[in-house]
Amino acid sequence: MIYIVGWGIMLLGLMVSEVVKNRSRIPAAVVIAFVAILAIFRGAVGTDTNTYEFLLESVDPAAFSGGVEPLFMVSGWLFKTVTGSAVGAVRLFALVLFGVLFYFLLHSNRNERFFLLSFFLPSFIYQYSMNTLRLGLASAVLLLVFQYIRRYRYSQRAALSIVALAFHYSSLFNLGFLLALRMRWTRWASMLGFAVFVVCALLVVLLNNDYFLMKLNAYQQVASPGRFSGLSKVVLIAVMLLAVIASRMPRPDKFKLLVLAVLLTAASFGLATVSYAGLRFLDLLSFSLPLAVMVVYNDNDLEFDWAIKLGLSLVGLISVVASYRNYLQESGQGPSPFLPYHFLDLLGGV
């Protein structure tokens, strides 16, 4: 029930923001603060929460070279030292995530505030703050990366890209997608720059080949749930692409975005019929595509038109329904399910 209250506050915040034409940061700040309380003070809640606590329980400096994203491991060791427990360390990661989101909000424009309230928060915030912590931190940092594009801070953008990558290697996908979108395909210099990015990505994989081989073997052993697995994500992507088609996005950007998204969606969906890895790529694309739309509008100094606003809102709404359905189906299962929600017992542990 408490998740529905949070989603309701997000909807109310979006409506208020639209009434005041997104001039105020207060509605989004209230939403972020509410969810922050739920995430930071949660008990054994969130599918992977127990796994992260187990991982951080035995973390030590010798584990930093074990292939897992280094910044997460270093931060986990530091947070455990500060709080005295793995439980506290996991909640401190949530605090950092919301700190990054507040910073993003502080420097946001109208497009970015609408993006937060209509899409990012409804679709991902519970998952990113209570479940997939590494991916959540990386995604929040990526928001800053592409905000810095608008603010023309190149050194900070490069540094934050490395930070996002050090939290979760999948950031390579997001960065590659946005780089392919923003570069000029007809210029050799752009193609050379993209080739350099690909080489750097391959170096990251090679330097951590044991970890990536382990993940590959894990994905191969986990069969796709069904022939139409990933179809829900394809629907979300299709809704966003229809919004792009109906929008007043500049034609060159619209063409590149449609080509990239359709090709990646088809390839990922095809892979999802035989491997769980395809579902992971669809998840990443469902985040990258709306983010790319926001970047294009910011690049062209345009405010979201009705088509993009409708598309983002529909994607957010569909994601809410799908998420809550999953919470209900998994209620009471495992050591830390999303339902039933309960707060942390500050006197007795969890």
Side-chain angles (χ1 to χ4, degrees):
M1 183 66 177
I2 198 165
Y3 301 115
I4 297 177
V5 173
W7 281 317
I9 294 175
M10 293 175 203
L11 177 60
L12 180 62
L14 179 62
M15 294 171 62
V16 171
S17 290
E18 283 298 283
V19 170
V20 301
K21 300 186 183 302
N22 274 297
R23 295 191 184 95
S24 174
R25 293 170 176 80
I26 294 177
V30 170
V31 171
I32 294 173
F34 178 84
V35 183
I37 293 172
L38 297 186
I40 296 169
F41 296 103
R42 74 189 188 277
V45 176
T47 308
D48 287 344
T49 293
N50 181 259
T51 301
Y52 279 119
E53 291 172 358
F54 177 80
L55 176 65
L56 296 180
E57 193 66 53
S58 58
V59 68
D60 60 70
F64 295 166
S65 60
V68 179
E69 289 83 351
L71 186 55
F72 176 81
M73 298 302 290
V74 172
S75 300
W77 173 76
L78 177 62
F79 292 168
K80 183 188 173 187
T81 302
V82 170
T83 63
S85 71
V87 172
V90 169
R91 275 65 183 177
L92 200 50
F93 272 117
L95 177 62
V96 172
L97 169 63
F98 287 103
V100 173
L101 289 180
F102 270 117
Y103 183 84
F104 176 82
L105 176 62
L106 181 64
H107 297 278
S108 64
N109 61 16
R110 295 182 184 182
N111 288 343
E112 290 160 351
R113 289 192 285 278
F114 189 90
F115 174 87
L116 277 178
L117 286 170
S118 66
F119 167 73
F120 181 80
L121 294 175
S123 300
F124 295 109
I125 195 57
Y126 291 141
Q127 287 277 58
Y128 282 176
S129 63
M130 303 187 204
N131 185 15
T132 54
L133 290 178
R134 289 177 299 153
L135 181 59
L137 286 163
S139 300
V141 172
L142 282 173
L143 293 182
L144 294 185
V145 171
F146 295 104
Q147 187 179 69
Y148 275 129
I149 289 177
R150 176 174 60 82
R151 297 164 64 192
Y152 305 106
R153 297 189 177 183
Y154 299 102
S155 58
Q156 289 95 328
R157 187 195 335 167
L160 286 171
S161 296
I162 296 173
V163 169
L165 184 61
F167 269 128
H168 206 283
Y169 293 132
S170 67
S171 299
L172 285 171
F173 179 92
N174 305 102
L175 291 169
F177 182 82
L178 271 295
L179 179 61
L181 173 65
R182 299 189 75 249
M183 73 181 194
R184 297 187 179 183
W185 294 358
T186 57
R187 284 191 175 184
W188 283 106
S190 296
M191 300 302 292
L192 179 61
F194 189 74
V196 170
F197 172 83
V198 172
V199 170
C200 291
L202 290 174
L203 284 175
V204 171
V205 174
L206 291 174
L207 291 173
N208 299 276
N209 63 312
D210 291 339
Y211 176 77
F212 282 99
L213 285 174
M214 178 191 71
K215 297 294 288 185
L216 179 62
N217 290 332
Y219 284 141
Q220 288 177 338
Q221 293 174 10
V222 179
S224 180
R227 183 177 180 182
F228 297 104
S229 298
L231 189 59
S232 61
K233 292 295 182 182
V234 173
V235 171
L236 293 177
I237 293 169
V239 170
M240 198 68 245
L241 290 180
L242 288 174
V244 169
I245 291 172
S247 73
R248 55 187 179 92
M249 181 184 295
R251 288 187 179 181
D253 293 315
K254 184 183 295 188
F255 172 77
K256 288 193 291 185
L257 187 58
L258 290 172
V259 169
L260 285 171
V262 169
L263 289 177
L264 288 173
T265 302
S268 299
F269 184 66
L271 181 61
T273 61
V274 295
S275 171
Y276 185 80
L279 299 179
R280 291 292 295 114
F281 283 119
L282 286 172
D283 283 337
L284 293 172
L285 187 58
S286 68
F287 167 72
S288 298
L289 177 57
L291 177 59
V293 171
M294 184 183 73
V295 170
V296 169
Y297 272 75
N298 283 343
D299 278 349
N300 291 281
D301 198 24
L302 296 172
E303 287 195 19
F304 287 153
D305 49 66
W306 69 268
I308 296 301
K309 287 184 175 183
L310 179 60
L312 288 171
S313 300
L314 284 175
V315 170
L317 180 60
I318 296 171
S319 298
V320 164
V321 174
S323 295
Y324 196 62
R325 177 175 175 270
N326 290 336
Y327 298 167
L328 290 174
Q329 289 179 334
E330 298 171 2
S331 178
Q333 299 180 20
S336 56
F338 272 97
L339 288 173
Y341 178 90
H342 59 278
F343 283 101
L344 187 70
D345 183 353
L346 297 177
L347 296 179
V350 295

